[in-house]
Structure formats: C-alpha cells, structure tokens
C-alpha cells in the first residue's frame, strides 16, 4: 500500500446530543479523545452522525468542537448532505474555515440523478470549495449508486481526493480498487465494515466502520494487520468486530441501530443515547439489555 495522505481507520462518529437536542459538547470532547488515543480519525455528520437531521448552526458547532478537541492529532473529515447546492458550498466553506481537513459529500437525494448529473454535481462542488473533496457512495440512504465509470472520470479532478463507498458489493469495490490503489492522489475507503479485511487485502486505503465508535482499537488492529499482510489475524479481527457490532445492528433498522450504538457508548462514559427527530431512543428495557451486553464485551477485552 502506498503512503497516501488519506488512509487508515476513519470512524463515522455519532453526534452526541443532550436531552433537549443540543450538541453535547462535553461528550464531543470525550469521544474525540477516545478516538485520538487509538489513532483513528472521525467522519462527522454522516449517516451514523445523523447528518441530515442536524441544523446548519449545530453542524458548524460540532466541527468547531471536534477540531478543538482533536488538537491536530488526527484528521477531521466533515460530511456534507442536502439538496441546495448554494447552501452546500457555504456549509463546506464554513467547515473548512473551522478547521475540517476534508469534505465528504453524499449525492443530493430528492431527484433521481442520471450518471452525468452525478458527475456534473461532484465536479461543480469540487470546483467551488477550497477543501479537498471525497465522494460518498451510500445507496442504502440515497437510493442511487455512483457508477464506476463516473468515478473513473472524476478521479482525475485535482480537488477530488477519494471515495468512501458503503455499497455492500465486493465485486464493485474490487473493480474500483483496481484503478485507485496505485494513485497517490486518490484514496479508496471501504464504508461497509463487514468487508474491511477483504477490501484492505485488495488494496483499499482505509475503512470507515461505525463500530469504531465503541471498539476503535480493534479496527486499528485490523487495519494494521491487513497492511502488514497478516491475513489470518485480519480475518480473525473481522469476525470479532462483526460479532460485537451485531449487538447494535442485528434485527434493527438503521435508525434503531444508531440508538443502540449510543447505548453501548454510554457504558464507556462517552455519551448519552439521545437522538434527533425523526429518530428516537429505544425502550428502557431494550437499552438495559444492550447495556448489559456491552458491559460484558468490555470486560472480556
């Protein structure tokens, strides 16, 4: 693997809230310290971070608090969502001014876009902002997939520096990695945690696992094992992390799984499990079951 600027473990960080829906700034500091101690970076305001539910002002506050807590020890990736292009540019520039290192943008989702419209959108955004731009493909929420040939065209844009692909399709990822792994100026991140070890073995530059909010050290170990060619160790850690993540993911919707993940983080003293509308907390009984499982896992490590 080449020594690229953007690589490693990037955790799609949960956004911690108070009971009244405000950004919990104290919890932000605790989470960032937890991640930094394990040498993993945060991706803010993505799917795991309820990015589509966070107001513009609170999004900017979150970026500022994260940058302050990170103290330049780790890169800060800021997620960008929305359907108004002008507002997206303003928000991206505000995040950059606040200290974010990279902007990671999903497709606008109100209209079904043609491949050429996707290409034009990302190129126009890359032209308009000063921060490096990463593409973010997540079909589960946008209901669109950025075609591989469009990615092949965008890879040459001087301000497009990478792709986070969360589509659970190993063959798709394999094809993209085949033309990105030897590029010093473009990084591929696997956004499907279950495919972390396999894609790293193929030449992916990094992984973006939501479980890293609870077990960042295990994903850091998985990444390092894969980079070192220790395939058996990487495969073992892949299974270990998958089993742990099943505690918050199994038989739950995406929104419910995020609430469950916050419950697990609460057992570590990181944040409370408050959610922003339209998402909500789980029942008290379910939270208690998840918390006990999380405590058992923590004591076993």
């Amino acid at each position: 693997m080449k020594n690229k600027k953007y690589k490693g473990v990037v955790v799609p960080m949960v956004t911690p809230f108070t009971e009244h829906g405000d950004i919990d700034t104290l919890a932000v500091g605790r989470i960032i310290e937890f991640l930094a101690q394990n040498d993993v970076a945060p991706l803010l305001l993505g799917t795991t971070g309820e990015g589509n539910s966070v107001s513009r002002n609170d999004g900017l506050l979150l970026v500022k608090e994260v940058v302050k807590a990170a103290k330049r020890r780790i890169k800060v990736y800021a997620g960008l969502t929305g359907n108004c292009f002008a507002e997206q540019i303003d928000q991206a520039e505000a995040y950059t001014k606040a200290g974010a290192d990279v902007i990671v943008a999903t497709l606008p989702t109100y209209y079904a876009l043609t491949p050429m419209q996707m290409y034009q959108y990302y190129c126009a955004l890359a032209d308009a902002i000063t921060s490096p731009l990463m593409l973010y493909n997540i079909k589960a929420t946008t209901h669109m997939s950025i075609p591989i040939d469009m990615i092949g065209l965008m890879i040459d844009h001087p301000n497009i520096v990478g792709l986070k692909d969360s589509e659970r399709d190993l063959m798709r990822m394999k094809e993209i990695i085949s033309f990105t792994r030897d590029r010093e100026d473009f990084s591929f991140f696997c956004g499907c945690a279950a495919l972390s070890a396999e894609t790293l073995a193929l030449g992916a530059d990094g992984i973006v696992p939501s479980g890293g909010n609870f077990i960042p050290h295990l994903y850091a170990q998985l990444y390092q094992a894969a980079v070192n060619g220790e395939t058996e160790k990487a495969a073992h850690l892949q299974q270990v992390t998958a089993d742990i993540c099943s505690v918050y993911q199994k038989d739950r919707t995406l929104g419910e799984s995020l609430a469950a993940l916050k419950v697990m983080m609460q057992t570590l003293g990181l944040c409370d499990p408050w959610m922003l509308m339209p998402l909500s907390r789980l029942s008290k009984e379910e939270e208690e079951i998840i918390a006990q499982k999380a405590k058992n896992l923590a004591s076993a490590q």
Side-chain angles (χ1 to χ4, degrees):
M1 187 179 296
K2 304 246 181 191
N3 187 29
K4 298 189 182 183
K5 184 174 182 179
Y6 307 105
K7 61 182 179 179
V9 182
V10 176
V11 173
M13 192 181 113
V14 305
T15 303
F17 304 108
T18 67
E19 182 177 2
H20 302 292
D22 300 317
I23 299 292
D24 187 339
T25 56
L26 294 178
V28 170
R30 292 193 295 269
I31 294 170
I32 290 300
E33 189 61 32
F34 183 54
L35 299 181
Q37 287 178 1
N38 289 282
D39 197 29
V40 303
L43 165 60
L44 314 177
L45 300 166
T47 304
T48 306
E50 302 171 70
N52 278 288
S53 302
V54 177
S55 71
R56 294 181 64 189
N57 288 340
D58 280 350
L60 181 56
L61 172 62
L62 177 65
V63 173
K64 288 179 178 178
E65 290 295 321
V66 167
V67 169
K68 181 171 67 175
K71 301 174 184 175
R72 299 187 180 275
R73 292 172 292 174
I74 48 179
K75 287 185 173 63
V76 175
Y77 296 72
L80 191 69
T81 59
N83 292 307
C84 176
F85 187 68
E87 289 182 355
Q88 284 189 305
I89 293 172
D90 289 344
Q91 198 76 345
E93 292 300 90
Y95 292 164
T96 301
K97 185 177 180 181
D101 297 289
V102 190
I103 300 298
V104 187
T106 61
L107 287 168
T109 58
Y110 186 83
Y111 298 105
L113 304 178
T114 67
M116 184 52 64
Q117 287 170 333
M118 296 180 194
Y119 171 80
Q120 292 170 339
Y121 163 73
Y122 276 122
C123 288
L125 183 60
D127 287 339
I129 66 176
T130 54
S131 181
L133 174 67
M134 288 188 67
L135 318 176
Y136 183 177
N137 183 60
I138 179 164
K139 187 177 180 180
T141 57
T142 66
H143 309 293
M144 292 179 281
S145 177
I146 306 171
I148 294 174
D149 59 341
M150 290 294 106
I151 294 168
L153 292 177
M154 289 185 279
I155 195 174
D156 289 321
H157 192 290
N159 202 36
I160 295 178
V161 299
L163 163 70
K164 178 202 171 199
D165 200 315
S166 297
E167 197 164 333
R168 189 167 185 148
D169 185 338
L170 184 60
M171 293 307 297
R172 169 189 167 86
M173 292 192 184
K174 184 176 182 179
E175 185 173 348
I176 297 171
I177 291 169
S178 70
F179 62 80
T180 61
R181 62 185 169 205
D182 293 326
R183 296 276 303 233
E184 291 283 0
D185 58 350
F186 192 94
S187 298
F188 177 87
F189 284 81
C190 173
C192 178
L195 298 177
S196 295
E198 290 176 280
T199 52
L200 287 169
L202 291 170
D205 301 293
I207 54 176
V208 190
S210 63
N213 283 282
F214 182 70
I215 45 171
H217 61 293
L218 293 183
Y219 282 108
Q221 292 172 24
L222 190 162
Y223 170 79
Q224 199 57 54
V227 169
N228 293 340
E230 301 173 273
T231 54
E232 288 187 10
K233 182 177 180 180
H236 170 70
L237 287 165
Q238 180 72 80
Q239 187 58 56
V240 170
T241 54
D243 290 344
I244 293 172
C245 291
S246 69
V247 173
Y248 68 90
Q249 292 175 335
K250 185 174 172 56
D251 299 325
R252 293 189 177 89
T253 64
L254 176 56
E256 289 172 331
S257 74
L258 301 183
L261 176 56
K262 286 187 178 181
V263 173
M264 295 179 73
M265 295 174 69
Q266 185 181 39
T267 67
L268 299 179
L270 296 172
C271 66
D272 292 324
W274 298 108
M275 308 293 290
L276 282 190
M277 291 291 289
L279 302 182
S280 59
R281 290 181 65 160
L282 304 175
S283 69
K284 182 179 179 180
E285 293 74 19
E286 191 168 4
E287 285 189 358
E288 289 175 350
I289 293 171
I290 295 166
Q292 188 57 58
K293 289 181 178 179
K295 290 175 184 176
N296 292 341
L297 289 168
S299 63
Q301 292 182 44

